[in-house]
Amino acid sequence: MSTGPLTGKTVIDLTTALAGPYATLLLAGLGARVIKVENPARGGDTSRNNSPYVTADGLSMRRTSDDDMSVSMMLRGRGKESILLDLKRPESREVLRDLVREADIVVENYSAGVTARLGIDYASVRDLNPRLVYTSISGFGATGDHGDRKAMDTIIQALSGVMMTAGEPGDPPVRFGLPIGDLVAPLFAVIGTLSAVMHAERTGEGQHVDVSMLGALTSLVACEPFDALESVGFPLRTGTYVPRLAPFGTFRAVDGWFALCGPTDQFAEGVLRAIGRADLIGSADFGTRDARVANADRLHGLIAGWAAERMLAEALAALHANGAPAAPVRSTAEAVRDPDVTARGEVVPLVHPKFGHFDGLYGSGLPVVFSRSLVDMSAPAPQLGEHTDAVLSELLGYDEQRIASLRGAGAF
Amino acid sequence: MSTGPLTGKTVIDLTTALAGPYATLLLAGLGARVIKVENPARGGDTSRNNSPYVTADGLSMRRTSDDDMSVSMMLRGRGKESILLDLKRPESREVLRDLVREADIVVENYSAGVTARLGIDYASVRDLNPRLVYTSISGFGATGDHGDRKAMDTIIQALSGVMMTAGEPGDPPVRFGLPIGDLVAPLFAVIGTLSAVMHAERTGEGQHVDVSMLGALTSLVACEPFDALESVGFPLRTGTYVPRLAPFGTFRAVDGWFALCGPTDQFAEGVLRAIGRADLIGSADFGTRDARVANADRLHGLIAGWAAERMLAEALAALHANGAPAAPVRSTAEAVRDPDVTARGEVVPLVHPKFGHFDGLYGSGLPVVFSRSLVDMSAPAPQLGEHTDAVLSELLGYDEQRIASLRGAGAF
């Protein structure tokens, strides 16, 4: 039987909310053993208390029983083990130190300064395990002094410039509907973590891996030479259309929208043919890329006029028959049900540990198809503290008496 | 001296345009040796022919000399070696096979079916190197039959549902201003590649790693339980404000916009204090989260009215002084110049191999700060075919006569 490519690796997961837990979710999906440490004093990860919940009767705005689980936790907790540790207590920190000795990786996304105050930052635990890779995800990075600047996704989006890349010049800022600040940092955190594990395997040296949400998102912004484009006269915000790539934009058919993208001569000819204007192929106004850019408004107007009288399926069929790149603008509900996407496991059904799957409840898969290795994003999320005893006895070798004594002392 | 965590790994880079080259750019930044194979018949990677160019006199819409280089290539080619190979010729494919024998990783993003036709798909080369990790990035994945469906970023955005997550209900689709379809797939491709290399090091087994742009982006969409939220009455598109997290939104001050996010009692109190309405703290209408959600329009109106008469700096100072999470909405030009971000190497100056750096020309860094390993995104991009002779003689051990004979035969 095949296993995940990270089989044999153990991750101590000190994360909460979205950015950190998404990183460890990916590591779990790739086959690592992820032990999620939750704070009993606060009811565990804050995601456990995000409405809505899955109950025996389906979705509910409010929790109705101890078995209910938030959709957020069902998504982000998949394939992880949950143990309780109140890290404000010295007994609990001692347990954590034992866990770190057994681990390959620690991932944390505490607010700045918290791990140092608790004595569980990289400097405090590195001597326990010289090969340890210790990954921190924070709003602004572990370097510099950021005081108590908060790092919610919308704050990161605002600072990164992405809000000024969508919409048209003069429009208000446009917030991306995906929490892209929360989602991009963990991808870089996983890249950094795996790279550092490879380094540790080659050299025996662990290290700290420090990823900033703002830096991660800003680096993506800097993948496009927006400055250079603007300085030579290409505006940054172009709304529905992109004149410099004309024909390029989203167009409204009778029953829905489609996106179209035909910057080359070949694609543009296909578009003109599809809209019944083969007469314009090779014309002075539309025959070359420069001409199409100069006359983009007219070209887009012709396409919009044609689309306005056609059903979406008819418009797309005509464009595809003529080799023009075009696609329907789908809702998220349609997109996550795409049979090709679900067949590849890029989106998977969510399963409640007790109540099973409810129709229509989907979650992220791990969008990598390996020819040999297994990826698994189908395991349900744990209930709070479900694995405390098992991890302490099996991984750490604590006996029943020691576990009972720790519990009695309030360690968990 | 420290080195990158992927030091010692060799990548054969068969990618063009954006998604593939961004993946190999990250591998190069992490210390791998990346050998970019370019087609002499087409002037190499299409990115070399994207306007604008950097010339001896700065940015220009048109190329003015052979030394000029497109900004796209300056960004995406950093730290790579460039060799020429016309893979339609059998002599060139033989050279490629020799390269594959020496490599740890191949990355390609050809259109569907092309690698098989050329005889350089994973099935055709795996026997040359059983430990090889062969990564493909495509629009819709290597499984299934997608015909000649095109996979430009805007097509992927349309299909993934992201265009319907921004804006307000009833608005036209909103295209993200970042080419997020092109940028997210390579992050997953790097994660898959590194995971597969770890598997190969453990087991001696290479494999194919298959990443779809549509699947990668749709998996991010599925990180948010949009369906579940809608089914319990939280609309998907909420535009500037998010009522269920009120106070939450972007607000216009006299001289600019700011984002604000205060969903908890503590943050909301800070906001009320900042806007001079401490009298509303604990009120029936705004004292609890449920009350604020129910009265979100009024709450947002109060904040907007306060902001409208204040300078941005003054508004932010008042919010921060009261512990309310808020930040200016920055332009991309401001964001990529953030001194914290550039100090961490998350954005770096772009350097032309001959003309150096021009003020204001920035590119993506690698947003991971390692405590031991070195990351380097500062090396300039190669000119087309700059390393052909060096790679063939040093890595493959070809003698001068053999190289001359291959050149004579049109292999490069």
Side-chain angles (χ1 to χ4, degrees):
Chain A
M1 208 189 90
S2 61
T3 56
L6 303 188
T7 297
K9 301 294 175 206
T10 299
V11 179
I12 308 303
D13 179 359
L14 304 178
T15 69
T16 54
L18 175 50
Y22 183 50
T24 53
L25 175 66
L26 295 173
L27 295 172
L30 290 164
R33 177 180 190 179
V34 176
I35 298 170
K36 180 173 178 62
V37 176
E38 302 195 66
N39 183 352
R42 299 206 182 168
D45 190 331
T46 55
S47 294
R48 292 192 181 274
N49 302 309
N50 286 356
S51 179
Y53 301 90
V54 168
T55 74
D57 301 320
L59 281 177
S60 161
M61 291 285 281
R62 297 206 156 63
R63 194 178 256 144
T64 60
S65 89
D66 283 350
D67 288 329
D68 297 351
M69 188 182 281
S70 71
V71 174
S72 299
M73 180 51 58
M74 282 179 59
L75 256 162
R76 301 169 198 167
R78 282 174 288 166
K80 303 177 184 177
E81 300 169 44
S82 166
I83 71 167
L84 292 173
L85 282 182
D86 180 353
L87 293 173
K88 293 204 172 136
R89 295 183 167 272
E91 303 87 351
S92 302
R93 291 201 294 269
E94 209 43 61
V95 176
L96 182 69
R97 294 165 68 86
D98 282 345
L99 287 169
V100 167
R101 287 187 182 94
E102 302 295 325
D104 302 283
I105 297 162
V106 168
V107 185
E108 63 91 10
N109 69 335
Y110 281 100
S111 300
V114 173
T115 54
R117 277 204 300 282
L118 290 173
I120 58 170
D121 58 332
Y122 179 59
S124 304
V125 303
R126 57 185 296 175
D127 289 343
L128 302 173
N129 181 348
R131 299 170 62 102
L132 183 71
V133 172
Y134 185 110
T135 299
S136 299
I137 303 172
S138 60
F140 307 97
T143 57
D145 177 13
H146 307 288
D148 60 350
R149 274 166 91 189
K150 298 297 183 299
M152 286 86 159
D153 176 76
T154 196
I155 301 290
I156 298 299
Q157 285 200 29
L159 291 170
S160 73
V162 294
M163 287 187 174
M164 302 308 280
T165 65
E168 310 202 17
D171 277 358
V174 177
R175 188 174 52 83
F176 285 14
L178 293 186
I180 195 74
D182 274 326
L183 293 174
V184 165
L187 298 181
F188 283 107
V190 172
I191 289 171
T193 301
L194 298 182
S195 300
V197 169
M198 288 171 65
H199 177 89
E201 294 189 340
R202 204 178 71 243
T203 65
E205 298 171 346
Q207 62 187 311
H208 186 220
V209 175
D210 160 22
V211 174
S212 140
M213 289 168 62
L214 177 61
L217 189 54
T218 309
S219 84
L220 285 196
V221 169
C223 283
E224 282 290 281
F226 288 119
D227 274 1
L229 290 171
E230 282 206 300
S231 74
V232 295
F234 290 134
L236 173 54
R237 306 178 80 184
T238 64
T240 302
Y241 305 123
V242 179
R244 75 183 164 91
L245 301 172
F248 183 114
T250 50
F251 298 87
R252 191 199 289 264
V254 171
D255 56 337
W257 291 80
F258 62 90
L260 180 152
C261 172
T264 66
D265 286 345
Q266 183 199 335
F267 291 145
E269 285 186 28
V271 172
L272 290 171
R273 219 168 254 125
I275 68 169
R277 295 306 304 267
D279 59 301
L280 298 174
I281 294 172
S283 67
D285 288 357
F286 304 111
T288 65
R289 182 156 174 171
D290 285 348
R292 289 189 297 274
V293 171
N295 299 297
D297 284 353
R298 263 169 63 212
L299 179 54
H300 291 147
L302 289 173
I303 299 166
W306 170 81
E309 296 191 308
R310 271 156 190 88
M311 299 299 281
L312 184 58
E314 180 194 349
L316 286 168
L319 289 161
H320 289 157
N322 288 284
V329 177
R330 298 198 293 205
S331 67
T332 59
E334 291 170 305
V336 300
R337 288 168 177 77
D338 181 317
D340 285 340
V341 169
T342 53
R344 289 172 57 84
E346 293 152 342
V347 172
V348 299
L350 284 184
V351 178
H352 185 285
K354 186 162 178 184
F355 308 134
H357 171 67
F358 286 91
D359 195 35
L361 202 53
Y362 293 91
S364 57
L366 199 151
V368 180
V369 176
F370 294 94
S371 63
R372 273 185 191 272
S373 296
L374 186 75
V375 155
D376 184 7
M377 298 281 269
S378 71
Q383 293 289 8
L384 179 62
E386 185 179 338
H387 302 91
T388 308
D389 288 59
V391 167
L392 268 54
S393 62
E394 288 161 29
L395 183 66
L396 302 186
Y398 291 7
D399 61 22
E400 273 182 43
Q401 194 186 344
R402 184 164 178 194
I403 294 173
S405 149
L406 283 164
R407 184 169 277 121
F412 44 83
Chain B
M1 205 189 90
S2 62
T3 56
L6 303 188
T7 297
K9 301 295 175 204
T10 299
V11 179
I12 308 303
D13 178 358
L14 304 178
T15 68
T16 54
L18 176 51
Y22 183 50
T24 54
L25 175 65
L26 295 173
L27 295 171
L30 290 165
R33 177 181 190 179
V34 175
I35 299 170
K36 178 173 179 62
V37 178
E38 302 196 65
N39 184 353
R42 300 207 182 168
D45 190 331
T46 54
S47 294
R48 293 192 181 273
N49 303 308
N50 286 357
S51 179
Y53 301 90
V54 168
T55 74
D57 301 319
L59 281 177
S60 162
M61 290 286 281
R62 298 208 155 63
R63 192 178 258 142
T64 60
S65 88
D66 283 351
D67 287 330
D68 297 351
M69 189 182 282
S70 71
V71 174
S72 299
M73 180 51 58
M74 282 178 60
L75 257 163
R76 301 169 198 167
R78 282 174 289 167
K80 303 178 184 178
E81 300 170 43
S82 166
I83 71 168
L84 292 172
L85 282 182
D86 180 353
L87 294 173
K88 292 205 171 135
R89 294 183 168 272
E91 302 88 350
S92 302
R93 290 199 295 270
E94 209 44 60
V95 177
L96 182 69
R97 294 165 69 86
D98 283 346
L99 287 169
V100 167
R101 287 187 183 93
E102 302 297 325
D104 302 284
I105 297 163
V106 169
V107 185
E108 63 90 11
N109 69 335
Y110 281 101
S111 300
V114 173
T115 54
R117 278 204 299 281
L118 291 172
I120 58 170
D121 57 332
Y122 179 59
S124 303
V125 303
R126 58 185 296 175
D127 290 343
L128 302 173
N129 181 348
R131 298 168 63 101
L132 183 72
V133 172
Y134 185 111
T135 299
S136 299
I137 303 172
S138 61
F140 307 98
T143 56
D145 177 12
H146 307 287
D148 60 351
R149 274 166 92 189
K150 297 298 183 297
M152 286 86 160
D153 175 77
T154 195
I155 301 290
I156 299 300
Q157 285 201 29
L159 290 169
S160 73
V162 293
M163 286 186 175
M164 302 309 280
T165 64
E168 309 202 18
D171 277 358
V174 176
R175 188 174 52 83
F176 284 15
L178 293 186
I180 195 75
D182 274 326
L183 294 174
V184 164
L187 298 180
F188 283 107
V190 172
I191 289 171
T193 300
L194 298 181
S195 300
V197 169
M198 288 171 64
H199 177 90
E201 293 188 341
R202 203 177 73 242
T203 65
E205 297 172 347
Q207 61 187 312
H208 187 220
V209 175
D210 160 23
V211 174
S212 142
M213 290 168 61
L214 178 61
L217 190 53
T218 310
S219 83
L220 286 196
V221 169
C223 283
E224 283 290 281
F226 288 119
D227 276 0
L229 291 171
E230 283 206 299
S231 74
V232 294
F234 290 134
L236 173 55
R237 306 178 81 184
T238 63
T240 301
Y241 306 123
V242 179
R244 75 184 164 90
L245 301 173
F248 183 114
T250 51
F251 298 87
R252 190 199 290 264
V254 171
D255 57 336
W257 292 80
F258 63 89
L260 180 152
C261 171
T264 65
D265 286 346
Q266 183 199 335
F267 291 144
E269 285 185 28
V271 171
L272 290 171
R273 221 169 252 125
I275 68 170
R277 295 304 304 268
D279 60 302
L280 297 175
I281 294 172
S283 68
D285 288 355
F286 304 112
T288 64
R289 182 157 175 170
D290 285 350
R292 290 188 296 273
V293 171
N295 298 299
D297 284 353
R298 263 168 64 212
L299 179 55
H300 290 147
L302 288 173
I303 300 165
W306 169 81
E309 296 190 308
R310 272 157 189 87
M311 299 299 281
L312 183 58
E314 180 193 348
L316 286 168
L319 289 161
H320 289 157
N322 288 283
V329 176
R330 299 198 292 205
S331 68
T332 60
E334 290 171 303
V336 300
R337 287 168 178 77
D338 181 317
D340 285 340
V341 169
T342 54
R344 289 172 57 84
E346 293 152 343
V347 172
V348 299
L350 283 184
V351 179
H352 185 284
K354 186 162 178 183
F355 308 133
H357 171 67
F358 286 91
D359 195 35
L361 203 53
Y362 293 91
S364 57
L366 200 151
V368 180
V369 176
F370 294 94
S371 64
R372 273 185 192 271
S373 296
L374 186 75
V375 155
D376 184 6
M377 297 284 268
S378 71
Q383 292 289 7
L384 179 62
E386 186 179 337
H387 302 90
T388 308
D389 287 57
V391 167
L392 268 53
S393 62
E394 288 160 29
L395 183 66
L396 302 185
Y398 291 7
D399 60 24
E400 272 182 43
Q401 194 186 342
R402 184 165 177 194
I403 294 173
S405 148
L406 283 164
R407 184 169 277 122
F412 46 81

